Amino acid sequence: MRFSHSAVILAFFSATADAWIPGPTNYLTKLSSTNRLSHVSAASGALHATPPSSSAFLTPELASAAIDAAQGTPLYVYDLEKLQKSADECLAFPNAFGLTVRYAMKSCPNKAILQAFHKKGIHIDASSGYEVKRAISSGIPASNISLSTQELPANFAELADIGVKINACSLSQLERIGKHYANKGMKVGIRVNPGVGSGGFSSSTTTFSKTNVGGPSSSFGIYFTSVDDGTVASIVEKYGLVVERVHTHIGSGSDPKIWQQVALRSLSFCKAFDTVVSLNLGGGYKVARVPGEQSTNLQECGGPVSDAFRQFAEETGRELALEIEPGTYLVAMAGALVSTIQDIVETTGEDGHKFLKLDAGMTDVLRPSLYGAVHPMTLFPGSGKSEDIGGEEEDVVVVGHCCESGDLMTPAPGEPEELGERTLRKAEIGDTLIMDGSGAYCSSMSTKHYNSFPEAPEVLLDTSGGVHVIRKQQPLEQIYQNEVEVSESIL
């Protein structure tokens, strides 16, 4: 079945309390938007909860051992046991005719993490040609890598020829691939924008959001109307291409119910090409970072989709394999930023605050400044001893070390421009602050080198509690080593 552009956009409007989403048949499914806003209210309640005495996986003693291994703060710490647990959960995602889990490596591309997931049988979702090369250099077979990118690399054919699976994410990308492999029966994938998106920081399914990668306000993928009107099919036919994969992805932190509806819609794109053997539904599975938030239940989320794949097989005689691309779900709560309180500043009066200044900041975790994201925080004594944890509490604002007013680690939930106080144990200069939930889109998506702060080291905790440095502290000289001397006569 096909939907007109106007019908889909009208169907996906957001009202005060409800959104309407078209299903794969002639009916509309009513969904409450309450779930999509729950992270804001949950985070608000968690800001002033009783501070914990331990983080998601670190104790004062473990944090101290990691600091010693990295030779100081700040640093990232990853827990192998948590990584393996989340991998097992993703590998158990319901499926009808086979499953491939692809790790969205942009979320945290360290070699050790790529190798840990590869050992589990997880493949790779890459977002640039550079990520493809990085994965290959980490020992990932080219045939295990899928590339969906906003910028098709100039050497895309070189990558495809060694086995990398490339998804055309625009009509021009499809043309470029077609021209290079004209009449050679080249197998390709197409990424389709299904006309709707869903991001964890917005309740709208069609307007712009920083974590929404679907709908009319998003540039990601080939807009679904080009599939419906035969434009994609004409390009495929002109160059003799074979479409074997369809790919959709609607956003990070997406509402599970919207994700399910888009999954059903995506099956209709597979009907347009009888050569399609797999449907990739992307990722975006929610992870609860603070108390009160709800993580996506993968079994509940995937069950109806698995049933839809079976129905598709009954109708078409084709058994499609399923692919998913989790990033946040795999690594977010398996990583933490470990930093030191290096200064404490107070302002007075009715609008005054107490500020804890870290030796880290937007150079290490950008999500609060960018999205107004809330991360759980735990304050440990500088001694590294559990018995020294104090009981006194205080409300504080936590900020980073950059000469930038936006370097804010405790924004109001979903409001990066607004201060949010946090109840923590009373701090002293030299104490250790743990930011949990920093495994995804932190080390890989920071403003490192701003103010010439070097890249922080990374440490892995093994399943026996051993501490291993997996990225060393960056020497300052590396930041400017590619700069070139200019003649004084020019200056």
Side-chain angles (χ1 to χ4, degrees):
M1 174 185 163
R2 294 182 179 177
F3 298 97
S4 70
H5 181 197
S6 59
V8 170
I9 298 306
L10 287 173
F12 276 95
F13 76 90
S14 293
T16 302
D18 303 293
W20 293 89
I21 296 183
T25 52
N26 289 319
Y27 60 85
L28 293 174
T29 302
K30 184 178 180 183
L31 296 176
S32 169
S33 63
T34 303
N35 289 339
R36 281 174 277 133
L37 299 176
S38 63
H39 75 281
V40 174
S41 59
S44 298
L47 297 183
H48 299 290
T50 301
S53 58
S54 63
S55 79
F57 59 87
L58 287 173
T59 62
E61 288 76 14
L62 270 177
S64 181
I67 292 170
D68 289 345
Q71 299 181 7
T73 60
L75 68 147
Y76 305 92
V77 183
Y78 306 100
D79 185 77
L80 182 58
E81 185 175 357
K82 282 187 171 290
L83 293 171
Q84 292 175 340
K85 181 177 182 293
S86 61
D88 290 338
E89 291 171 355
C90 289
L91 290 166
F93 196 92
N95 65 91
F97 307 110
L99 171 72
T100 297
V101 177
R102 296 190 180 278
Y103 171 50
M105 66 175 287
K106 64 183 178 179
S107 60
C108 190
N110 186 283
K111 179 179 182 178
I113 292 176
L114 298 184
Q115 291 175 336
F117 287 143
H118 175 61
K119 191 174 180 179
K120 279 285 189 178
I122 290 177
H123 291 203
I124 293 296
D125 159 48
S127 296
S128 71
Y130 296 107
E131 282 193 346
V132 171
K133 288 291 190 179
R134 186 171 182 174
I136 291 174
S137 71
S138 297
I140 309 300
S143 59
N144 285 11
I145 303 171
S146 173
L147 173 63
S148 302
T149 179
Q150 286 284 80
E151 180 185 353
L152 189 67
N155 67 335
F156 73 88
E158 171 191 327
L159 303 180
D161 289 345
I162 62 174
V164 175
K165 297 173 176 60
I166 297 180
N167 297 319
C169 298
S170 69
L171 294 176
S172 67
Q173 287 190 16
L174 189 60
E175 282 275 0
R176 285 175 61 189
I177 295 169
K179 288 178 181 178
H180 185 87
Y181 292 104
N183 301 315
K184 293 182 179 179
M186 181 63 179
K187 295 179 179 179
V188 297
I190 56 169
R191 175 170 177 170
V192 181
N193 179 334
V196 64
S198 178
F201 297 92
S202 172
S203 61
S204 175
T205 58
T206 57
T207 58
F208 174 77
S209 166
K210 291 177 182 176
T211 60
N212 183 331
V213 293
S217 299
S218 172
S219 67
F220 290 83
I222 299 171
Y223 208 59
F224 73 96
T225 50
S226 293
V227 177
D228 288 349
D229 66 13
T231 301
V232 173
S234 66
I235 297 174
V236 168
E237 182 178 1
K238 178 169 66 172
Y239 295 112
L241 299 173
V242 178
V243 178
E244 69 167 5
R245 304 178 304 278
V246 168
H247 178 285
T248 59
H249 177 51
I250 60 174
S252 299
S254 55
D255 186 290
K257 293 181 180 178
I258 298 177
W259 186 89
Q260 288 175 348
Q261 289 295 321
V262 172
L264 300 180
R265 173 71 172 119
S266 299
L267 285 167
S268 70
F269 305 137
C270 297
K271 287 185 177 180
F273 305 96
D274 58 13
T275 52
V276 171
V277 297
S278 65
L279 173 59
N280 187 320
L281 294 174
Y285 311 111
K286 289 182 178 180
V287 169
R289 283 184 167 87
V290 296
E293 289 185 345
Q294 295 294 318
S295 293
T296 299
N297 184 314
L298 297 185
Q299 293 299 310
E300 292 181 3
C301 182
V305 175
S306 185
D307 293 338
F309 273 58
R310 294 186 182 92
Q311 182 178 345
F312 180 91
E314 291 177 3
E315 295 174 356
T316 65
R318 296 158 56 195
E319 297 182 348
L320 299 183
L322 170 66
E323 294 192 2
I324 59 173
E325 294 176 349
T328 294
Y329 193 94
L330 282 167
V331 296
M333 293 306 294
L337 175 70
V338 179
S339 60
T340 298
I341 307 295
Q342 51 92 5
D343 204 352
I344 299 175
V345 172
E346 291 190 59
T347 56
T348 60
E350 185 177 339
D351 297 323
H353 299 281
K354 186 171 187 177
F355 297 90
L356 304 186
K357 292 186 178 182
L358 307 181
D359 65 352
M362 61 194 294
T363 49
D364 310 282
V365 176
L366 181 62
R367 297 181 73 255
S369 299
L370 184 62
Y371 304 131
V374 175
H375 284 254
M377 292 182 173
T378 307
L379 195 68
F380 289 157
S383 66
K385 298 178 180 180
S386 295
E387 60 264 29
D388 292 337
I389 294 176
E392 193 174 352
E393 300 174 1
E394 59 184 353
D395 290 343
V396 296
V397 175
V398 182
V399 298
H401 55 180
C402 290
C403 187
E404 183 73 38
S405 60
D407 192 5
L408 175 64
M409 309 306 276
T410 55
E415 300 290 343
E417 296 292 321
E418 185 177 338
L419 296 182
E421 287 193 335
R422 187 76 64 89
T423 300
L424 296 175
R425 299 185 186 279
K426 190 170 183 179
E428 296 182 359
I429 293 176
D431 282 348
T432 302
L433 188 136
I434 311 297
M435 281 187 68
D436 280 314
S438 299
Y441 302 98
C442 292
S443 172
S444 63
M445 192 185 73
S446 66
T447 60
K448 66 181 180 183
H449 298 168
Y450 186 51
N451 291 168
S452 293
F453 284 112
E455 185 178 62
E458 293 177 304
V459 169
L460 181 70
L461 299 181
D462 66 28
T463 55
S464 301
V467 178
H468 308 272
V469 175
I470 57 175
R471 184 176 74 189
K472 296 183 293 185
Q473 168 74 49
Q474 182 183 35
L476 173 64
E477 294 74 21
Q478 277 192 3
I479 298 177
Y480 52 82
Q481 68 181 6
N482 292 328
E483 295 176 5
V484 178
E485 293 286 346
V486 177
S487 170
E488 289 188 12
S489 63
I490 296 176
L491 303 176

